[in-house]
């Protein structure tokens, strides 16, 4: 039987936010491969009877290789990521290795989307992404820090709402502080900044402050940070980036 590799986005982590197509892909798989913390997001009954390969942080290449080898042996493999597998997830690496190993003609390859962390955090903050926004990862593990700085600066200069992944870790203490300081060069001190830790998971925390009071020490690797643009404000206690309807329509009537 030809093997099948399905890269599955698990969403934020709450079982109710796992997309039906993603759940179906997990149920049909006989092998599940993923980062240990992400595999633990899957209900035990879904994993029952399956071969599970879970590895630690920075084991992405090993996970992809294990998934490809299992699929090449004829197995139905689900390679899992949190959020959306195509947004800082495993879909890109899996496709790259599929090409490099010459297995593209032998295996069925499918990507199943999930709710990305940026959308989960935005929902908890209100509506900060209603207009144009940019997403940048502050991790320099795979991207030179100067490129990260350049992208942050360009997004701020263009007045995008800026969503920041991977803001802080045990090794990276100063990257978020540096990005917030850069934001202060382009934004009014009162512009809202939202930080969401563990969105839709146990230990969820939400903090919204003016840019002038945004505390980088609140964030960790599981935090998503949203810096508003020049129009972002608070509405009913939530972050709002207006799309422009109020300039065309009488919203209060």
């Amino acid at each position: 039987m030809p093997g099948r590799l399905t890269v599955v986005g698990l969403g934020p982590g709450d079982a109710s936010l796992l997309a039906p197509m993603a759940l179906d892909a997990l149920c049909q798989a006989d092998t599940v491969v993923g980062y240990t913390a992400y595999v633990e997001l899957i209900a035990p009954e879904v994993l029952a009877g399956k071969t599970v390969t879970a590895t630690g942080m920075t084991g992405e290449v090993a996970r992809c290789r294990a998934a490809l080898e299992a699929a090449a042996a004829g197995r139905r493999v689900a390679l899992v990521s949190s959020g959306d597998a195509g947004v800082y997830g495993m879909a890109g690496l899996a496709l790259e290795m599929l090409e490099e190993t010459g297995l593209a003609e032998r295996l069925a390859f499918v990507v199943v989307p999930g709710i990305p962390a940026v959308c989960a955090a935005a929902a908890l903050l209100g509506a900060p992404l209603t207009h144009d926004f940019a997403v940048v990862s502050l991790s320099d593990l795979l991207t030179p820090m100067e490129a990260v700085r350049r992208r942050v600066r360009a997004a701020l200069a263009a007045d995008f709402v800026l969503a920041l992944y991977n803001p802080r870790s045990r090794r990276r203490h100063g990257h978020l502080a540096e990005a917030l300081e850069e934001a202060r060069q382009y934004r009014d001190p009162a512009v809202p900044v939202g930080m969401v830790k563990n969105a839709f998971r146990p230990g969820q925390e939400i903090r919204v402050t003016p840019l002038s009071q945004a505390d980088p020490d609140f964030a960790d690797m599981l935090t998503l940070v949203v810096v508003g643009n020049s129009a972002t404000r608070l509405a009913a206690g939530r972050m709002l980036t207006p799309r422009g309807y109020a300039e065309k329509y009488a919203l209060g009537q």
Side-chain angles (χ1 to χ4, degrees):
M1 292 290 291
R4 181 181 184 89
L5 177 59
T6 305
V7 191
V8 181
L10 299 176
D14 189 295
S16 65
L17 294 178
L18 178 66
M21 186 181 290
L23 177 59
D24 185 61
L26 292 171
C27 291
Q28 291 192 33
D30 53 47
T31 301
V32 174
V33 181
Y35 172 45
T36 302
Y38 299 159
V39 171
E40 290 173 351
L41 297 175
I42 304 170
E45 59 269 23
V46 175
L47 294 176
K50 303 182 189 303
T51 300
V52 178
T53 300
T55 62
M57 185 73 74
T58 71
E60 295 90 348
V61 172
R63 288 197 290 276
C64 270
R65 185 170 290 116
L68 285 166
E69 289 173 352
R75 301 184 72 85
R76 300 185 306 278
V77 182
L79 176 62
V80 301
S81 284
S82 68
D84 181 273
V87 180
Y88 302 117
M90 296 295 287
L93 178 59
L95 186 56
E96 195 173 6
M97 291 182 67
L98 184 70
E99 179 185 51
E100 289 292 325
T101 56
L103 292 171
E105 300 301 318
R106 291 177 49 194
L107 301 179
F109 177 79
V110 178
V111 180
V112 176
I115 297 172
V118 65
C119 293
L124 292 168
L125 291 171
L129 307 182
T130 309
H131 215 318
D132 300 331
F133 65 95
V135 178
V136 177
S137 169
L138 293 184
S139 173
D140 61 350
L141 186 62
L142 298 172
T143 305
M145 193 60 207
E146 188 46 51
V148 174
R149 292 188 181 103
R150 188 167 60 248
R151 292 167 186 175
V152 167
R153 195 177 306 120
L156 291 167
D159 202 26
F160 286 108
V161 173
L162 178 60
L164 298 171
Y165 275 70
N166 304 316
R168 201 163 182 263
S169 70
R170 284 186 297 245
R171 186 179 64 86
R172 292 182 290 101
H173 299 291
H175 294 181
L176 178 57
E178 184 180 333
L180 291 173
E181 185 56 39
E182 188 71 35
R184 293 182 184 107
Q185 310 307 309
Y186 293 91
R187 299 284 189 273
D188 187 279
V191 163
V193 173
M195 299 188 189
V196 180
K197 187 181 296 185
N198 296 308
F200 293 99
R201 297 185 195 179
Q204 174 180 290
E205 294 183 67
I206 304 166
R207 179 177 290 187
V208 179
T209 65
L211 175 59
S212 61
Q213 298 175 28
D215 180 9
D217 291 338
F218 173 78
D220 61 13
M221 197 65 178
L222 298 177
T223 303
L224 198 294
V225 179
V226 178
V227 180
N229 71 6
S230 60
T232 305
R233 58 183 176 82
L234 294 183
R238 305 295 184 93
M239 285 182 70
L240 167 66
T241 304
R243 182 76 186 276
Y245 289 104
E247 282 130 32
K248 293 193 72 174
Y249 306 98
L251 301 185
Q253 296 180 358

